[in-house]
């Protein structure tokens, strides 16, 4: 048995290669996420079977079997009469049209968030439709800019990747949003977006121990 140690070269060059690979993957995933965000509500099929159930129970049933999240005034919804419904393999709009009929309530689907409110009343989830914008720049510990960093509002599909100068900007940011920064070879960082509109973020490298990689060969030879 012989052990061969491979010289992988300068660690920094490998880090750069990994960053390029990450940027390529992020660009592909970004386009897929944008597409899925617009089609999720149409393509997701749900099953609801409830007898004399409250609207809140039906909303929770939908949340349990999907990625939808409901926003509503509890007192407004709680005051409505219980309903019975039996629907299989249908989109969420079909279910809501039925259970909210004659209740005086209306709904709006924003990506994977469902806002339910009294007709003509203020929106209880204005945070989802805010025009608040944020921007910033991402660098590594040496001050070098990082293109291709994923910047996402945690728990949503609202996100972008940094440009070639490490800069980013996002709109429709709730006041209580958590920004998540991730990049290959770097520690993921989360930042509360409540206290600022401009963020200069420094990501720290993770040690991946490249210098310890070895190749082991087994075999026989005459």
């Amino acid at each position: 048995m012989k052990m061969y140690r491979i010289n992988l070269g300068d660690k920094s060059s490998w880090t750069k290669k990994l960053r390029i690979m990450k940027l390529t993957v992020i660009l592909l995933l970004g386009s897929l996420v944008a597409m899925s965000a617009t089609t999720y509500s149409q393509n997701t099929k749900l099953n609801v079977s409830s007898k004399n159930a409250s609207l809140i129970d039906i909303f929770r049933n939908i949340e349990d079997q999907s990625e939808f999240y409901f926003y509503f005034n509890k007192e407004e919804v709680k005051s409505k009469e219980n309903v019975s419904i039996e629907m299989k393999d249908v989109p969420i709009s079909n279910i809501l049209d039925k259970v909210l009929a004659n209740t005086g309530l209306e709904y709006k689907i924003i990506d994977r968030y469902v806002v339910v409110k009294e007709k003509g009343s203020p929106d209880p989830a204005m945070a989802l439709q805010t025009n608040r914008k944020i921007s910033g720049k991402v660098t590594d510990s040496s001050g070098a800019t990082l293109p291709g960093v994923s910047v996402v509002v945690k728990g949503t599909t609202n996100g972008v990747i940094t440009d070639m100068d490490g800069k980013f900007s996002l709109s429709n940011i709730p006041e209580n949003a958590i920004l998540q920064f991730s990049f290959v070879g770097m520690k993921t960082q989360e930042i509360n977006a409540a206290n600022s509109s401009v963020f200069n973020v420094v990501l720290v490298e993770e040690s991946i121990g490249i210098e310890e990689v070895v190749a082991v060969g087994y075999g026989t030879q005459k």
Side-chain angles (χ1 to χ4, degrees):
M1 182 183 76
K2 293 184 179 181
M3 179 177 290
Y4 304 92
R5 181 176 291 273
I6 298 176
N7 183 6
L8 294 178
D10 182 42
K11 182 177 178 179
S12 63
S13 66
W14 275 84
T15 301
K16 291 179 181 179
K17 291 177 182 178
L18 288 172
R19 289 176 183 173
I20 293 173
M21 293 169 62
K22 175 70 172 182
L23 177 58
T24 302
V25 172
I26 288 294
L27 289 172
L28 291 173
L29 290 179
S31 61
L32 292 175
V33 168
M35 184 181 299
S36 66
T38 58
T39 61
Y40 183 80
S41 61
Q42 289 83 10
N43 293 340
T44 302
K45 305 301 182 183
L46 304 169
N47 300 318
V48 177
S49 179
S50 300
K51 291 184 178 180
N52 198 35
S54 70
L55 293 178
I56 294 178
D57 287 339
I58 293 174
F59 296 163
R60 296 294 175 254
N61 187 346
I62 293 173
E63 288 184 339
D64 289 343
Q65 60 179 299
S66 70
E67 296 180 18
F68 289 113
Y69 297 91
F70 280 82
Y71 285 82
F72 53 87
N73 182 311
K74 186 176 181 180
E75 295 305 317
E76 286 181 353
V77 174
K78 190 176 180 180
S79 65
K80 306 304 178 183
E81 294 182 0
N82 290 359
V83 296
S84 297
I85 181 173
E86 182 78 32
M87 302 186 80
K88 293 184 178 181
D89 198 29
V90 296
I92 187 173
S93 57
N94 290 35
I95 298 171
L96 294 178
D97 286 342
K98 182 175 179 62
V99 299
L100 298 182
N102 303 318
T103 63
L105 298 173
E106 61 183 358
Y107 70 91
K108 181 184 295 184
I109 300 175
I110 307 170
D111 190 10
R112 303 186 189 193
Y113 297 90
V114 183
V115 179
V116 179
K117 66 183 185 69
E118 292 278 2
K119 293 180 180 180
S121 67
D123 197 328
M126 286 301 293
L128 296 177
Q129 304 177 49
T130 178
N131 290 322
R132 181 175 178 236
K133 296 181 180 180
I134 63 170
S135 61
K137 185 176 182 179
V138 184
T139 62
D140 62 18
S141 55
S142 69
T145 57
L146 292 176
V149 175
S150 173
V151 185
V152 179
V153 178
K154 188 175 181 179
T156 76
T157 57
N158 185 11
V160 295
I161 60 173
T162 56
D163 62 18
M164 295 306 296
D165 297 319
K167 296 180 179 180
F168 69 92
S169 63
L170 276 168
S171 57
N172 299 325
I173 306 300
E175 288 296 331
N176 60 345
I178 300 296
L179 301 179
Q180 191 172 61
F181 297 81
S182 57
F183 192 67
V184 67
M186 299 288 186
K187 293 182 179 179
T188 298
Q189 187 173 158
E190 295 184 356
I191 296 178
N192 192 321
N195 300 322
S196 179
S197 59
V198 178
F199 300 87
N200 293 313
V201 181
V202 178
L203 295 185
V204 180
E205 290 188 7
E206 282 186 322
S207 176
I208 57 176
I210 290 180
E211 68 278 3
E212 298 300 326
V213 176
V214 296
V216 180
Y218 299 90
T220 59
Q221 180 179 352
K222 290 185 180 180

